[in-house]
Amino acid sequence: MQRPKVHIENLNFKYQSNSVFDDLSWTIQKGEQWVLSGISGSGKTTLAKAITGLADYAGKIEINFDNEIQLPAKVSLVESWYQFKNVEGVANFYYQQRYTSQQAKETLTVKAELAHYGKENHLAFADVEPILNALGFAGLKNSQLIELSSGEHKKLQLVKALWLKPQLLIIDQPYTGLDVKSRESLNALLNDVCAEGVSLIIISNDEELPICINRFAKITGGKLEEISALEKAFTNSNYELGEIPEFLKQAPIYSSGLIAKMVDVNISYGEKEVLKNINWEVRAGERWLLQGPNGSGKSTLLSLINGDHPQSYANELYLFGNKRGSGESIWDIKQHIGLISPEFHWYFDANSTVLESVASGLYDSVGLFKTLPYSKKAQVDELINFFGLTENNNDLLNTLPLGKQRLVLLARTIIKNPELLVLDEPCQGLDNQQTAYFNQLIDKVCSNGMTVIYVGHFESQLPSCLEKRMVLENGEVKEISEIKNKNLTLKETIKDFELTI
């Protein structure tokens, strides 16, 4: 009788006093390719780490490798959250460091990172070239690791895993941060490696899966349940929101009717042009969708508005009515803005409590370093309650599931009722219900006249308040347009647009 590829029996795991798994069992046979789903915090990532040997547990996990195939007898996990290190082996970077080219030289290049990985795993470098080309990553081989966006870092980890082709490959949220074309290419590559004998476990709630997937499961109440198909990823459910905090019912106090204006803006690193002749104007109260493939320049564009990019001084850029470089500090700019992005989450102080994290948005600090006045404390408490996080008030951020961490930082963005919300893929890490909830929240918050720039790929559920769209491609403006047809969902209208480019 053939032994199963993976056999898990009576798996138990507790975090603090909370039970994550309760005698969980799971058997994976040869030839089965699984998708594991479940709400945020249900234990999906913990289970992946237990299988990979990265988390302690009670119970039995047995992995049986096949000696008759040439693939490495290894288990490989591509985590949804990747922390890279500098050449000295430490990872204490700060948020703006990505945009400072001189300091970027502290990290390896993509090519050097891959060379090291290939040598460590006895892989031929020639074999990785087709994967780089398929995922549109070949042009980044000479880029420093710190220069990569979150989507590009995800691609790099996927490249390594597909190059290695371990007998058991687990990918946590493989599509997070990837554009449409990259997702299609990834699915084709996953089909290929599974045909060669790789056993695949994908942790995802996405519907667009490789055709090799033939089994589905979800974690509910600490146990694994096999299901017939992945539950619908997109939901049109309307959630009953609580009463919005009083301070968010008031319109933001605008310092100018002009939020941002760019005139022939160019950003480059040596010979590499990142942004080319960008002309864009954002006025108070407008709600923009910013879109483009991975590496198109979206994050760099936002860094100019956030005040984080040093090359902003060399361009004609106006922020909140003032020309950049006219005497304002970076903190003068940030007091107008509420920001969330995957990169900001990377560098945020995860040892802050929930209350401290949310309150830090009042002072644009990474952590809270002063005592809150009573009125501000009441404001923070009201918003934390609105987000359903009151029971986590004193928990450290790094003890929460990734989805809840993101909710905390989302609350941080709106705590000061800013003139401008910059939401760069804000729902990464959230499950479908949390995503729907947050986007409804944004719609409600924006009814007070707040300005929004929202970055999201077309598959993602998006707020209905968005009215204008700008698309970047290869660092240039591909299109600026109105989102006119409100009878279609944004998902549909943007998909139709992307099919034409």
Side-chain angles (χ1 to χ4, degrees):
M1 182 177 178
Q2 189 178 45
R3 294 187 299 172
K5 178 69 72 173
V6 179
H7 180 66
I8 301 172
E9 188 176 343
N10 297 329
L11 189 69
N12 289 274
F13 180 86
K14 283 190 175 184
Y15 184 77
Q16 296 178 344
S17 60
N18 299 318
S19 177
V20 180
F21 303 136
D22 181 16
D23 288 333
L24 182 147
S25 296
W26 191 13
T27 299
I28 300 175
Q29 302 290 351
K30 181 179 179 181
E32 293 181 348
Q33 316 296 348
W34 287 80
V35 167
L36 179 61
S37 62
I39 65 171
S40 178
S42 60
K44 304 183 298 295
T45 297
T46 301
L47 180 56
K49 289 184 175 181
I51 295 172
T52 319
L54 299 176
D56 294 328
Y57 58 87
K60 176 183 178 182
I61 297 179
E62 179 183 289
I63 300 172
N64 298 302
F65 295 112
D66 188 346
N67 296 323
E68 297 181 0
I69 60 176
Q70 297 299 312
L71 302 181
K74 294 183 178 181
V75 182
S76 182
L77 170 63
V78 177
E79 299 188 57
S80 70
W81 207 246
Y82 175 68
Q83 290 288 344
F84 60 93
K85 297 180 179 180
N86 66 11
V87 293
E88 295 179 351
V90 296
N92 56 337
F93 303 108
Y94 57 90
Y95 177 57
Q96 292 86 358
Q97 195 167 349
R98 176 185 173 193
Y99 307 109
T100 309
S101 58
Q102 183 177 5
Q103 289 170 316
K105 294 177 182 178
E106 292 182 359
T107 63
L108 294 175
T109 63
V110 169
K111 185 175 181 179
E113 174 78 3
L114 289 173
H116 175 75
Y117 184 80
K119 182 178 180 181
E120 188 177 57
N121 292 280
H122 310 290
L123 302 172
F125 200 87
D127 292 339
V128 78
E129 296 287 355
I131 304 171
L132 293 170
N133 290 327
L135 289 177
F137 208 72
L140 293 172
K141 283 190 290 187
N142 293 320
S143 297
Q144 308 291 325
L145 294 181
I146 201 169
E147 295 177 307
L148 302 182
S149 68
S150 60
E152 290 164 346
H153 269 291
K154 188 72 173 191
K155 281 187 182 180
L156 179 56
Q157 305 320 306
L158 291 167
V159 166
K160 291 179 181 178
L162 292 164
W163 186 18
L164 178 64
K165 289 186 281 193
Q167 290 196 28
L168 178 58
L169 174 58
I170 308 172
I171 309 179
D172 194 352
Q173 307 299 337
Y175 308 108
T176 296
L178 299 189
D179 56 48
V180 180
K181 186 177 179 181
S182 297
R183 291 186 175 204
E184 294 173 350
S185 298
L186 174 60
N187 282 341
L189 291 166
L190 290 173
N191 288 329
D192 291 342
V193 297
C194 288
E196 294 182 49
V198 170
S199 292
L200 179 64
I201 301 173
I202 290 178
I203 299 173
S204 178
N205 290 318
D206 287 273
E207 291 177 305
E208 297 179 31
L209 299 167
I211 59 174
C212 64
I213 294 296
N214 52 27
R215 293 290 187 276
F216 303 87
K218 68 177 181 179
I219 298 178
T220 306
K223 295 184 183 297
L224 187 137
E225 173 190 354
E226 185 169 359
I227 54 180
S228 58
L230 192 63
E231 296 174 352
K232 187 173 177 60
F234 296 103
T235 174
N236 294 319
S237 300
N238 287 318
Y239 293 88
E240 191 68 34
L241 297 179
E243 183 68 19
I244 195 167
E246 285 296 323
F247 72 92
L248 289 176
K249 293 179 181 179
Q250 308 300 316
I253 301 173
Y254 282 108
S255 54
S256 170
L258 182 65
I259 298 297
K261 182 178 179 180
M262 300 181 184
V263 181
D264 295 328
V265 166
N266 292 275
I267 299 293
S268 61
Y269 302 107
E271 297 181 357
K272 181 182 177 182
E273 295 179 294
V274 180
L275 293 178
K276 310 169 193 174
N277 299 318
I278 301 295
N279 290 280
W280 188 32
E281 187 173 300
V282 178
R283 302 201 68 83
E286 292 182 341
R287 298 149 193 173
W288 283 86
L289 173 64
L290 178 60
Q291 187 193 15
N294 297 133
S296 60
K298 301 187 299 298
S299 295
T300 301
L301 184 73
L302 294 179
S303 73
L304 293 170
I305 294 175
N306 298 336
D308 291 323
H309 206 296
Q311 291 189 41
S312 60
Y313 298 103
N315 284 278
E316 188 174 351
L317 171 65
Y318 302 85
L319 298 175
F320 306 101
N322 298 311
K323 190 175 188 301
R324 191 74 169 98
S326 58
E328 78 291 346
S329 71
I330 185 175
W331 304 112
D332 292 331
I333 293 170
K334 289 186 179 298
Q335 70 180 355
H336 302 280
I337 301 172
L339 165 71
I340 182 65
S341 72
E343 290 84 3
F344 183 80
H345 194 165
W346 282 353
Y347 301 123
F348 195 79
D349 181 6
N351 291 312
S352 297
T353 66
V354 168
L355 187 147
E356 291 167 342
S357 299
V358 175
S360 70
L362 291 165
Y363 307 105
D364 304 307
S365 57
V366 181
L368 186 64
F369 304 104
K370 59 177 68 178
T371 301
L372 282 176
Y374 176 80
S375 60
K376 296 297 184 184
K377 173 65 163 55
Q379 185 173 316
V380 171
D381 289 341
E382 189 178 9
L383 186 58
I384 287 175
N385 181 64
F386 184 60
F387 269 83
L389 295 166
T390 301
E391 65 178 16
N392 303 114
N393 213 31
N394 297 313
D395 293 341
L396 297 181
L397 193 64
N398 62 8
T399 66
L400 301 180
L402 182 59
K404 274 198 172 183
Q405 290 185 38
R406 186 56 55 87
L407 283 177
V408 171
L409 294 184
L410 292 174
R412 180 186 183 277
T413 68
I414 61 174
I415 183 62
K416 62 184 179 183
N417 196 11
E419 298 168 58
L420 173 63
L421 276 184
V422 178
L423 304 169
D424 186 357
E425 298 196 51
C427 295
Q428 280 193 22
L430 303 189
D431 60 44
N432 303 325
Q433 289 74 24
Q434 289 171 324
T435 298
Y437 178 86
F438 174 69
N439 284 328
Q440 285 181 226
L441 170 63
I442 289 301
D443 286 332
K444 195 166 186 177
V445 167
C446 288
S447 64
N448 73 352
M450 194 178 295
T451 309
V452 176
I453 301 174
Y454 192 111
V455 178
H457 296 298
F458 84 86
E459 305 92 328
S460 303
Q461 205 173 8
L462 298 167
S464 61
C465 66
L466 301 176
E467 300 170 334
K468 299 188 175 195
R469 172 174 56 234
M470 183 166 79
V471 181
L472 293 179
E473 188 173 325
N474 296 320
E476 298 179 283
V477 175
K478 181 73 175 180
E479 178 172 315
I480 293 179
S481 61
E482 302 283 336
I483 299 173
K484 295 178 180 179
N485 191 346
K486 292 294 183 177
N487 293 322
L488 291 176
T489 64
L490 275 174
K491 174 188 168 185
E492 291 169 328
T493 57
I494 299 168
K495 183 174 184 178
D496 289 342
F497 172 77
E498 288 222 354
L499 290 175
T500 67
I501 63 176

